[in-house]
Each structure stands twice: as structure tokens, then as C-alpha cells.
Amino acid sequence: MLKGKTALVTGSTSGIGLGIAKALAAQGANVMLNGFGDAEGPKAEVAAAGAPKVGYHGADMSKPAEIAALVQACEAEFGAVDILVNNAGIQHVANVEDFPAERWDAIIAINLSSAFHTMHHALPGMKQRGWGRVLNIASAHGLVASAGKSAYVAAKHGIVGLTKAAALETATTGVTVNAICPGWVLTPLVQKQVDARAEKDGISNDEAKVRLLADKQPSLQFVTPDQLGGLAVFLCSPAADQVRGVAWNMDGGWVAQ
Ligand code: NAD
């Protein structure tokens, strides 16, 4: 379905970004990966999933000049950014009065402003070609809050707002802009919170997972990167041509409560 298209997925060396990259690859898209850590393993996984061509660019998504270079590199190497998945993200948990200002700035930069910068550079080409998909990976925390996550909640509510504004600006074009709002997904980002819960409550890792889920996610099961990949593929399909500006939760019932 996505043969001849190129997907740029930020923060795709791990977790949800890698899962979405593989799902798009399985539909025949070329993929430009981004993120920290080992790139060779993820590149091999995405190629094995079916991507005709796979690239990697190590731009730091907190740095606007590097983000511009990432979009330019994708356009130079593949000829276009047809699908843009703004996924890179970090977390820090502390109450407002204890929250380090430097962590606040980093979370706003990586989880929110980076999506503005990628869209700023990629939307003109999408509009010119008359087709494009922007998928902003928000969170259940783009729709509701939790204590201790002020920067993350602010950034994720912000990216839902950015999604709606950009969707209106592109409403008469072949470019759609939508947000995906996952609940708990067991990735390295969440494993850190599992570890913290296990230590705080003096319990095992498995019990900490059960308690985290029980706090928020009525299904008591983690969402998986593969399931989120399936939603991303749907949003890139012709059936989703008129899905515009939504914040689509896949969260085991989290925000239904
Ligand atoms: P993860 O830690 O597994 O992956 C994060 C990715 O972002 C990695 O590839 C990492 O290298 C990259 N990254 C981090 N900082 C970066 C930077 N400055 N520049 C470039 N890349 C950077 O986390 P994940 O759980 O897969 O999270 C992916 C996205 O999904 C994030 O936006 C997160 O907020 C969101 N999300 C996660 C969950 C969850 O439960 N895991 C739930 C809702 C939303």
C-alpha cells in the first residue's frame, strides 16, 4: 500500500517508533530512522520487515538546526518525506516544585517543539506533491493528566493542539495530520517507571507492572508497538483520507474512565 512512499520516523531506534517503522516498512515504504543508540540493529529489523530502502540520521530532536538537517537529508536521500511520524520523546517524573528546569526545557523541546520543526520543514513538500501523512505520537497524557508529569502532560496536550491547528491548515489538501494517544506500552521509557515503582513499593518487577496498569489502564494489559503500528498504517491508508485532526487513543480504556 505504501510502495514508493518514504516515512521519516523520529526516535525510531527503540520502542513505539521502531514498531511503527516496521509496520510502515511491511507496507512497502522506505524508512528514514532517527534516534540515539545502536542504529544497525533497528536498520536491519526495518529492512527485514520489508522496507526497500532504509536510512538513518542521528539528529538530536532538541536541536532545531539538526532537525532541519534531518528533513533535508531524508529529502536528498529518498526524494521526499511523504509520511512524518513525530515520535521521539522522553519522560521525567517529579512534582512541579522539585522539577529541574533543565528537564522541563528538554521535554518541551523533544516532545513538543521538535514536531513543529519537522512539520515546518516537511509540510511544504507534502503540499506540493498533494499527498502526505503526519502522525504525532502524543499519549493518554495528551488528553488527561497524572501527578508528577507536568512537563510531559503539558507537551502532550500541546502536541494535540498543534495537530488540530495543522490539520485545519491542510484540510483542503491531500495532507492529513493526526495524533495517536497510547496508554502504557512496555518500552524502555516505561520500564524506568516500572523499576521506580518496584523500588518505591518494595515489590517485584512483575508486581510493579501489575500495579502501574491497575492505576490507569482498565484492560490490565500493555498496548504493544505492533498494535500502534497497525493504527499508523490505517491512518496512512485511503480509508483515512478524511480523518483529520483527531487525537486517537489506544489505551486499554484509560481515558474512558
Ligand atoms: P523509548 O525510550 O523506547 O524510545 C524513545 C526514542 O526516542 C528512542 O529511539 C530514543 O533514542 C529517541 N530519543 C530520545 N531523545 C531523543 C532526542 N533528543 N533526539 C532524537 N531521538 C531521541 O520510548 P517509547 O515508549 O517508545 O516512546 C516513544 C513515544 O511514545 C514518546 O513520544 C512517548 O512519549 C510516547 N508514548 C509512550 C508511551 C509508553 O507507554 N511507552 C505511552 C504514550 C506515549
Side-chain angles (χ1 to χ4, degrees):
M1 184 183 79
L2 298 175
K3 276 201 172 50
K5 306 282 195 222
T6 294
L8 166 56
V9 187
T10 72
S12 45
T13 49
S14 169
I16 293 170
L18 181 55
I20 290 177
K22 287 198 280 189
L24 298 175
Q27 296 298 318
N30 299 319
V31 179
M32 177 65 108
L33 296 169
N34 157 260
F36 296 150
D38 168 52
E40 291 312 312
K43 274 174 82 174
E45 282 187 51
V46 171
K53 286 201 276 176
V54 186
Y56 168 78
H57 191 287
D60 180 337
M61 300 307 290
S62 69
K63 306 220 163 89
E66 294 188 24
I67 297 171
L70 166 66
V71 174
Q72 276 159 19
C74 189
E75 288 177 341
E77 196 172 331
F78 298 101
V81 177
D82 300 298
I83 299 165
L84 169 62
V85 184
N86 288 308
N87 167 80
I90 58 170
Q91 176 64 286
H92 185 83
V93 183
N95 286 346
V96 172
E97 62 271 31
D98 302 320
F99 215 93
E102 162 278 318
R103 286 287 83 196
W104 170 275
D105 288 343
I107 289 177
I108 298 300
I110 297 165
N111 295 19
L112 174 58
S113 300
S114 72
F116 160 75
H117 292 295
T118 53
M119 287 162 68
H120 179 72
H121 294 294
L123 280 174
M126 290 182 183
K127 283 184 171 174
Q128 200 179 14
R129 288 184 296 275
W131 193 90
R133 293 288 190 260
V134 179
L135 307 181
N136 292 325
I137 308 308
S139 167
H141 284 120
L143 303 169
V144 294
S146 293
K149 296 187 175 174
S150 55
Y152 190 86
V153 168
K156 295 299 187 180
H157 275 65
I159 205 168
V160 169
L162 171 64
T163 300
K164 291 177 184 174
L168 293 177
E169 291 174 14
T170 51
T172 59
T173 76
V175 180
T176 70
V177 184
N178 291 294
I180 293 177
C181 298
W184 291 121
V185 186
L186 192 55
T187 65
L189 182 143
V190 162
Q191 186 58 49
K192 280 190 207 150
Q193 296 172 68
V194 172
D195 294 343
R197 182 66 176 260
E199 198 180 317
K200 178 169 150 275
D201 293 1
I203 52 176
S204 71
N205 216 273
D206 282 347
E207 182 55 25
K209 285 178 195 161
V210 171
R211 287 194 192 176
L212 272 189
L213 287 168
D215 280 350
K216 299 283 181 186
Q217 199 144 301
S219 67
L220 303 178
Q221 292 182 52
F222 288 102
V223 179
T224 68
D226 280 358
Q227 290 164 344
L228 290 162
L231 178 54
V233 167
F234 166 70
L235 289 171
C236 291
S237 74
D241 278 355
Q242 294 310 324
V243 180
R244 293 172 186 269
V246 305
W248 194 312
N249 44 311
M250 182 182 275
D251 62 1
W254 184 322
V255 306
Q257 296 168 99

